[in-house]
Amino acid sequence: MPVVHRFDPPERFVPGTVGEPGARTFYLQARAGNQVTSVSLEKQQVQILGERVAELLDELIQNDDSSTTVPAMTPVAMIDNDPLDQPIEEEFRAGTITLSWDAGDERVVIEVFPVAEVEVELPVEAEEQELLELPIVEPEPDEVLLVRMPAAMARLFAARAESVVAAGRAACPFCGGPMDAGGHLCPRANGYRRTRS
């Protein structure tokens, strides 16, 4: 049985970062009372999860069958720009993340599973077709972060995810790549260093 870090609903569920732009570590952090769970993940995972949550909420607004009131924007009283709760103790690194809507409880449900390392033993003299037919059994995860939150909190999460991702390094106006404080080697400048002006 995996350890389930369950928050139904959390008092706070936010993405955040630690470190300077260009060397940031991204986290999802859930809190309820004294229980705080922090999971590290990639910037792209934060971005995609935030976008998907916003899309899910927008679909619920369009759905006439829904009895749930889904805010189109983050309610002002809920805006949360505070840093992550300290100390940050990483429970695991996120791998697979699932997103769903529980119509019965009117909750957005996010499940975060750790990165799974799967070992596949190949037969010594296997042909290519046999390799394609080998069953791969993923191991049961040791831990899972399960967050069930109301629509307004999910809207806050989506807005904060967008701002956390955007707070990184400035983009080069020529190639679109990220620029450090000292600039970067721009492929559109034939290898010359471009700096922020």
Side-chain angles (χ1 to χ4, degrees):
M1 271 318 264
V3 174
V4 179
H5 304 278
R6 185 181 180 92
F7 295 86
D8 186 12
E11 293 170 10
R12 184 179 195 222
F13 179 58
V14 295
T17 61
V18 173
E20 295 298 317
R24 298 185 296 171
T25 301
F26 288 79
Y27 290 96
L28 294 179
Q29 190 176 73
R31 181 187 72 213
N34 292 331
Q35 181 187 7
V36 177
T37 300
S38 301
V39 174
S40 66
L41 70 169
E42 296 295 326
K43 176 181 179 179
Q44 291 79 11
Q45 288 175 298
V46 174
Q47 181 178 5
I48 292 168
L49 181 58
E51 290 170 358
R52 296 297 183 266
V53 168
E55 289 170 7
L56 173 65
L57 296 172
D58 292 343
E59 288 174 15
L60 291 171
I61 290 173
Q62 299 296 325
N63 185 357
D64 293 335
D65 300 336
S66 178
S67 62
T68 307
T69 302
V70 177
M73 296 174 50
T74 304
V76 175
M78 292 186 72
I79 292 175
D80 181 353
N81 294 320
D82 294 337
L84 296 173
D85 293 328
Q86 299 293 328
I88 299 171
E89 296 176 7
E90 178 183 315
E91 297 295 335
F92 58 86
R93 183 146 193 86
T96 302
I97 302 174
T98 65
L99 171 67
S100 61
W101 172 251
D102 183 343
D105 288 340
E106 298 183 345
R107 296 273 195 264
V108 172
V109 181
I110 295 176
E111 291 177 296
V112 183
F113 300 90
V115 173
E117 295 183 19
V118 179
E119 292 184 20
V120 178
E121 291 186 25
L122 300 176
V124 177
E125 294 183 14
E127 294 198 18
E128 189 173 320
Q129 184 61 32
E130 291 176 13
L131 292 177
L132 295 176
E133 296 172 1
L134 284 176
I136 296 177
V137 179
E138 291 191 29
E140 186 173 344
D142 295 331
E143 297 181 79
V144 177
L145 171 61
L146 172 62
V147 178
R148 298 172 50 82
M149 60 188 159
M153 183 177 280
R155 185 64 79 181
L156 162 68
F157 177 88
R160 181 163 168 148
E162 182 179 352
S163 67
V164 164
V165 169
R169 295 178 284 178
C172 173
F174 299 101
C175 72
M179 293 180 62
D180 293 323
H184 79 124
L185 295 176
C186 182
R188 299 223 26 221
N190 292 328
Y192 287 98
R193 183 170 290 282
R194 293 214 185 262
T195 58
R196 288 192 268 179
S197 45

